[in-house]
Amino acid sequence: MTNRNEQLFNRAKAVIPGGVNSPVRAFGSVGGIPRFIKKAEGAYVWDENDIRYIDYVGSWGPAIVGHAHPEVIEAVRAAALDGLSFGAPTEAEITIAEEIGKLVPSVEQLRLVSSGTEATMTAIRLARGYTGRDKIIKFEGCYHGHSDSLLVKAGSGLLTFGNPSSAGVPADFTKHTLVLEYNNVAQLEETFAQLGGKIACVIIEPFVGNMNLVRPSENFVKALRALTEQHGAVLIYDEVMTGFRVALGGAQSLHGVPPDLTTMGKVIGGGMPLAAFGGKKEIMACISPLGGVYQAGTLSGNPVAVAAGLKTLEIIQRPGFYENLTERTEQLVNGFKAAAADNGIDFTADSVGGMFGLYFADHTPQNYADMAKSDTEAFKHFFHGMLERGVAFGPSAFEAAFVSAAHTPEIIEETIAIARDVFQSMSR
């Protein structure tokens, strides 16, 4: 049988670097041939060989109501009939800003952009403009888009400035970026004690999804808020992944801690390219045209993307939506843990809302160093075993996964049964 996925991958590599338009899609860390997707509906995707998979990638988070939800598709169709892009204000932009502000009270004003990278890059620029400071803190294992000052790896010791982790990024661009350990309160306190007056902002994934799912401790969350307030630094919650994914009010509603700025993406676009940054009015007043911090974008607030986002935000507010989503996600991870334990596999899992993490380790990781110790070879066997049996996860041991409202209890049980079979094959 002709393998269309392999044919397309070879064809793509001739005209697209690595054959993909985002690196993780190349299957580099798990090996094998990427699946080229031709359609998606509900909890399923189909590849170019017409093989159906139960999908736990969910376009890396946006597909919270399921793929190709008929109401979202109709909203997109209606908006597209009126024009694809105007480069001018629309009423829908105001409506979605009002809706997000209602659901996330810390966002007093916001601006729409087209990607999470744009949102986080501009939020940091805004924090620097507001405070008049240069240095920023990020945490090892957290990903905030591919802007130059954020593509950093940790230095060799405490309080060491980050070094570029990508070719093409001058060291001068990252010299003001401090990379600290997630959940390390003592290190955070020491950094502020030494450099507090020079730190413009702290940016954090409030539940990490880019080194798999990692929870912050309660003490860590409290320290973040207390230290940034004490030293006049801006606290930025990067909720591009967690916003409306872990709870209706985002991660900050679960923490009970309002950040100064929030970045959002994924769910707010309903599968279309849409993101936002927003927060306190006094900080947002520094953005052009009101203030001296510049940001612009031809496709910002694209009417078709806004239509998809508005309909998605409407659906997720319906009674029982998050209760059902959380219950199904917990059903999945509990089933996986039981299946692994029955087969003597070192494995654990965790979830929050509709987001979950799978770890081939004997405990739930607390930071990047913990996560790096997990058994990536075991994950490769699991990943391919599930894929061959019709279940798709992200092709990396360092990525969170996602459940949608379209994943019924029956689909979840089917997935658990398949996982049990894979775990059995791994234990032989």
Side-chain angles (χ1 to χ4, degrees), residues 86-282:
F86 311 130
T90 66
E91 183 179 0
E93 296 174 55
I94 307 170
T95 305
I96 198 168
E98 291 171 339
E99 192 67 11
I100 292 171
K102 179 188 79 175
L103 297 172
V104 187
S106 72
V107 178
E108 297 172 355
Q109 289 189 333
L110 67 79
R111 179 163 287 179
L112 299 175
V113 292
S114 297
S115 71
T117 289
E118 283 183 82
T120 55
M121 174 183 72
T122 312
I124 289 171
R125 182 184 302 159
L126 184 55
R128 282 172 161 155
Y130 173 71
T131 61
R133 303 171 182 176
D134 293 333
K135 300 191 190 309
I136 67 172
I137 291 174
K138 74 174 293 287
F139 297 93
E140 190 177 16
C142 290
Y143 176 71
H144 307 289
H146 59 268
S147 58
D148 286 347
S149 65
L150 294 172
L151 288 177
V152 294
K153 58 186 175 184
S156 60
L158 297 186
L159 311 186
T160 304
F161 291 106
N163 303 306
S165 59
S166 169
V169 177
D172 278 355
F173 285 20
T174 60
K175 70 180 181 181
H176 295 301
T177 304
L178 284 161
V179 185
L180 305 184
E181 185 179 72
Y182 201 84
N183 273 326
N184 190 327
V185 175
Q187 191 182 52
L188 186 65
E189 290 174 339
E190 184 180 350
T191 303
F192 269 102
Q194 292 191 23
L195 297 168
K198 298 179 180 180
I199 296 169
C201 67
V202 177
I203 186 166
I204 186 169
E205 286 186 82
F207 289 96
V208 189
N210 287 288
M211 56 176 165
N212 217 318
L213 173 62
V214 175
R215 290 174 178 265
S217 69
E218 185 178 348
N219 287 340
F220 186 58
V221 169
K222 289 180 177 177
L224 280 167
R225 182 66 282 180
L227 288 165
T228 49
E229 285 184 345
Q230 179 184 344
H231 293 274
V234 175
L235 178 58
I236 304 172
Y237 265 26
D238 180 353
E239 297 228 41
V240 168
M241 187 178 291
T242 58
F244 305 110
R245 170 48 81 172
V246 300
L248 184 59
Q252 57 196 264
S253 69
L254 300 179
H255 291 176
V257 171
D260 302 306
L261 290 177
T262 300
T263 61
M264 299 177 183
K266 299 189 184 290
V267 169
I268 69 166
M272 297 287 286
L274 186 70
F277 62 95
K280 291 182 176 178
K281 282 185 180 180
E282 64 185 88

